[in-house]
Amino acid sequence: GYDQLETESKVLQYRKITTKKGETQYQLILDKTPFYPEGGGQVGDSGWLIFGNEKTAVTDTKKENNQHLHWVDHLPSQIGQSLVAKVDEAKRKQTRCNHSATHLLHHALRQVLGPHVAQKGSHVDDQKLRFDFSHFGKLTETELQEVETLVNRQISAHLPLEENRHKPFQQAVEEGAIALFGEKYGEEVRTVRFGDSFELCGGTHATNTGEIWYFKILSESAVAAGIRRIEATTGTSVKNYFLTQEAQLQEI
């Protein structure tokens, strides 16, 4: 799920399942895949499996027993033939930008509010990001503006992605990488750095913060006692947000 968006492959196994809504779907395991499975708060990739002239949509990708399960609504008629597995590039690009923005947001929150801020959950897709964190009270408008400004400053700096996929866990922590409390890590971990933002993470990311274009906070709210939530958006979605705001202003 990191290096390629398209690869030649073949189906090794598949199974038929029935969803809670009573719908029939199929889960396919491929011998090679460019698809990123749901994990670390990031949604799984969608895309297509192309068997010659037959194109089957992959609606989701999840991981089970260390295997990537590709969800499709219809079983391809040429399932025994070789195929091309192709990720939805536009969706992946926007999702990875939103994921990188959560790292920049986490770093900015710690700068503005203090080192007590710790990630308590997240959800990242191609439309927006949601970030839950520990804090004792509602953020003021001034604090929100400061956080937003700091994130956009990092985006404008065009910071390159510094990635290490095989770093010893203890070494990463000693170097200052932020690990999620309660998360189970192996002896080797993957680290992701953008400037001063340095975290353990298995998700997909922008190769440069400039790809994010702009970061806009949509809301800030309480989730539970001592836990706050920020929802935000970037890239194409934030452009659409600004256009909607302009249209509403003109209507008023």
Side-chain angles (χ1 to χ4, degrees), residues 198-238:
F198 187 33
E199 298 191 25
L200 305 186
C201 183
T204 64
H205 285 276
T207 57
N208 186 293
T209 58
E211 294 178 23
I212 302 171
W213 187 71
Y214 196 82
F215 171 84
K216 179 64 182 173
I217 293 175
L218 302 177
S219 66
E220 188 270 350
S221 60
V223 178
I227 306 294
R228 307 297 298 180
R229 170 174 292 172
I230 283 180
E231 293 190 350
T233 189
T234 70
T236 303
S237 293
V238 82

Side-chain angles (χ1 to χ4, degrees), residues 106-163:
H106 190 186
H107 180 67
L109 286 167
R110 289 171 66 88
Q111 285 184 288
V112 174
L113 304 177
H116 66 278
V117 170
Q119 181 177 338
K120 295 298 182 182
S122 68
H123 178 81
V124 179
D125 59 29
D126 60 321
Q127 297 300 312
K128 64 181 181 180
L129 62 97
R130 186 182 72 215
F131 188 78
D132 297 344
F133 59 98
S134 54
H135 187 56
F136 45 79
K138 179 178 176 61
L139 274 70
T140 66
E141 288 299 322
T142 301
E143 288 171 332
L144 287 172
Q145 185 59 58
E146 192 175 349
V147 167
E148 194 172 285
T149 298
L150 284 172
V151 173
N152 282 311
R153 192 174 294 161
Q154 301 307 298
I155 291 171
S156 298
H158 289 248
L159 300 172
L161 167 65
E162 297 178 43
E163 174 197 27

Side-chain angles (χ1 to χ4, degrees), residues 171-184:
Q171 181 185 345
V173 172
E174 289 172 357
E175 290 177 359
I178 295 178
L180 296 184
F181 179 77
E183 186 80 8
K184 293 182 179 179

